[in-house]
Amino acid sequence: MEKSEATTSIEIAETSRERKGKAALLSGVENEKAAGFKRGVAIFDLILRISAATATLAATITMGTTQQTLPFFTQFFQFQANYDDLPTFTFFVIAMSLVTGYLVLSVPFSIACIAMPLVVGPRLLLILCDTLTVTLATTAASSSAAIVFLAHNGNSDANWLPICQQFNDFCRRVSGAVVAAFIAVALLIFMVLLSALGLKRH
Amino acid sequence: MEKSEATTSIEIAETSRERKGKAALLSGVENEKAAGFKRGVAIFDLILRISAATATLAATITMGTTQQTLPFFTQFFQFQANYDDLPTFTFFVIAMSLVTGYLVLSVPFSIACIAMPLVVGPRLLLILCDTLTVTLATTAASSSAAIVFLAHNGNSDANWLPICQQFNDFCRRVSGAVVAAFIAVALLIFMVLLSALGLKRH
């Protein structure tokens, strides 16, 4: 009787250990799968981040260096167009350099997401800051787009004449900067959506 | 010996059932906690959604009904300003009515998130669509803001005169619509951030 009890108690202990072992193995496989998915998302996020940073840098530099001096002048006046003649373009340069700075500074966090795919902290921080950045970039891009549209077409009702007929080169560069900004916005939106998907499967 | 084995086998069965019961109880408590948190987030989301819909509706109506006829006229011409004289304002009205429509249609999904707080589907759908909506609303608000700024201040370098000196009332209404749109954008951003937080604790 004594001996039989001892045997069964050992049996119980073994069964419990076996069960625990199986559970750990199962959750380990699941974790491995989730980690793989999250790492893939994080790598894609890093690529998108670097592309977006390149696009915003290009937009900033293109806009910031835009100026055109017309080859003819009167006795008192030389016709010159500079990006900071229009306050909206100045805002564009400031906002886009801020976005570029943020994107460059956020690269280490994105790398941290690749290294530790199951840690939620850096990913959540990135998605929050990215959402605000998308809004800032969109504001800069679309307000400048409105002004560029006006510069190209003018508005007869408000009696605003198109300036692109004279400042052809100026308008072309500014339009290029706005297009680059919109490409960056599209990449950023895609980044936020991807991060939200990556956050889900936890 | 026979009897003792039978007893121990019953003991094992009991222990195993007890353990399972405890585990279920524990995960039940955790689920209850998570569900409470998620339900709170969902209720807050619904309130924000309705507020944002109200703000965008107000912006749409204010902008869409803006027109001003000046009290003096020449022999051939009566001075009149209408919101659709400026294409940017037409875009504003279209984009803002789209945003309002989306927000109203998304209310049932938000209610579904309150009713079933642990289901991920509707919440994920909402966060994806909300992000796109934020961008659309921001585009409309900021491009109109750029034009309103121009209407108020003009631009001497481009030779665009401010039209607000004549069309005082027109400018005031348009500015009001833009402010309402920016309030809606702020509410929408807050909604996306909140949804991301709600998605995290799963």
Side-chain angles (χ1 to χ4, degrees):
Chain A
M1 188 76 178
E2 273 282 310
K3 197 190 161 199
S4 125
E5 255 182 17
T7 319
T8 46
S9 87
I10 287 167
E11 263 172 27
I12 294 170
E14 270 185 0
T15 325
S16 149
R17 202 180 297 148
E18 262 172 31
R19 207 178 288 131
K20 267 189 195 162
K22 260 187 203 164
L25 207 71
L26 249 170
S27 87
V29 168
E30 263 174 28
N31 262 353
E32 204 58 43
K33 251 178 149 179
F37 175 76
K38 277 163 189 285
R39 185 167 287 135
V41 166
I43 290 170
F44 208 38
D45 178 275
L46 182 64
I47 296 169
L48 281 174
R49 201 170 288 278
I50 292 169
S51 317
T54 315
T56 51
L57 188 67
T60 314
I61 291 174
T62 311
M63 183 65 92
T65 55
T66 299
Q67 67 161 36
Q68 187 183 8
T69 309
L70 293 191
F72 51 86
F73 45 88
T74 65
Q75 200 173 354
F76 306 106
F77 199 72
Q78 183 164 27
F79 296 97
Q80 192 179 33
N82 211 319
Y83 82 94
D84 59 4
D85 289 341
L86 291 152
T88 313
F89 292 161
T90 314
F91 169 66
F92 181 93
V93 171
I94 295 169
M96 277 297 151
S97 36
L98 280 177
V99 170
T100 313
Y102 162 74
L103 285 174
V104 170
L105 288 177
S106 70
V107 164
F109 289 92
S110 187
I111 292 172
C113 282
I114 299 177
M116 304 174 289
L118 288 175
V119 178
V120 177
R123 189 177 294 278
L124 198 67
L125 187 72
L126 278 183
I127 199 173
L128 296 187
C129 295
D130 283 354
T131 310
L132 295 177
T133 308
V134 167
T135 325
L136 183 62
T138 312
T139 310
S142 54
S143 57
S144 289
I147 298 295
V148 168
F149 180 81
L150 203 62
H152 274 287
N153 298 309
N155 189 292
S156 55
D157 293 303
N159 212 11
W160 293 333
L161 296 173
I163 56 166
C164 282
Q165 286 163 6
Q166 291 90 49
F167 296 99
N168 209 323
D169 208 46
F170 174 81
C171 274
R172 217 173 298 153
R173 284 194 73 136
V174 166
S175 308
V178 169
V179 169
F182 272 112
I183 291 171
V185 166
L187 290 172
L188 280 166
I189 291 173
F190 197 55
M191 222 162 74
V192 170
L193 297 184
L194 202 74
S195 289
L197 276 176
L199 210 57
K200 182 206 125 197
R201 272 183 55 166
H202 184 63
Chain B
M1 190 74 179
E2 274 282 307
K3 199 193 159 197
S4 124
E5 254 181 16
T7 319
T8 46
S9 87
I10 288 167
E11 262 174 26
I12 293 172
E14 270 185 1
T15 326
S16 151
R17 201 181 297 148
E18 261 172 33
R19 206 178 289 131
K20 267 188 195 163
K22 259 186 205 162
L25 206 71
L26 249 172
S27 88
V29 168
E30 265 173 25
N31 262 352
E32 204 59 42
K33 251 177 148 180
F37 176 76
K38 276 163 188 286
R39 186 168 286 135
V41 166
I43 291 171
F44 208 38
D45 178 274
L46 183 63
I47 296 170
L48 282 175
R49 201 170 289 277
I50 292 170
S51 316
T54 315
T56 51
L57 188 67
T60 315
I61 292 175
T62 310
M63 183 65 92
T65 56
T66 298
Q67 66 162 32
Q68 187 184 10
T69 310
L70 290 192
F72 50 86
F73 44 89
T74 65
Q75 201 172 355
F76 307 107
F77 198 72
Q78 184 165 26
F79 296 99
Q80 193 179 32
N82 211 321
Y83 82 93
D84 60 5
D85 289 341
L86 291 151
T88 313
F89 291 161
T90 314
F91 169 65
F92 181 93
V93 171
I94 296 168
M96 276 296 151
S97 37
L98 279 177
V99 171
T100 312
Y102 161 74
L103 285 174
V104 169
L105 289 176
S106 70
V107 163
F109 289 91
S110 187
I111 292 172
C113 281
I114 297 176
M116 304 174 290
L118 288 175
V119 178
V120 178
R123 189 178 294 278
L124 199 66
L125 188 72
L126 278 184
I127 200 173
L128 297 187
C129 295
D130 283 354
T131 310
L132 296 177
T133 309
V134 167
T135 325
L136 184 61
T138 311
T139 310
S142 54
S143 57
S144 289
I147 299 295
V148 168
F149 180 80
L150 203 62
H152 274 287
N153 298 308
N155 189 292
S156 55
D157 293 304
N159 211 10
W160 292 333
L161 295 173
I163 57 165
C164 282
Q165 285 162 6
Q166 291 89 50
F167 295 100
N168 207 322
D169 209 44
F170 174 82
C171 275
R172 218 174 296 154
R173 284 194 72 136
V174 167
S175 308
V178 170
V179 169
F182 272 112
I183 291 171
V185 167
L187 290 172
L188 281 165
I189 291 174
F190 197 55
M191 222 163 76
V192 170
L193 297 185
L194 202 73
S195 289
L197 276 177
L199 210 59
K200 181 205 124 195
R201 272 184 54 165
H202 185 62

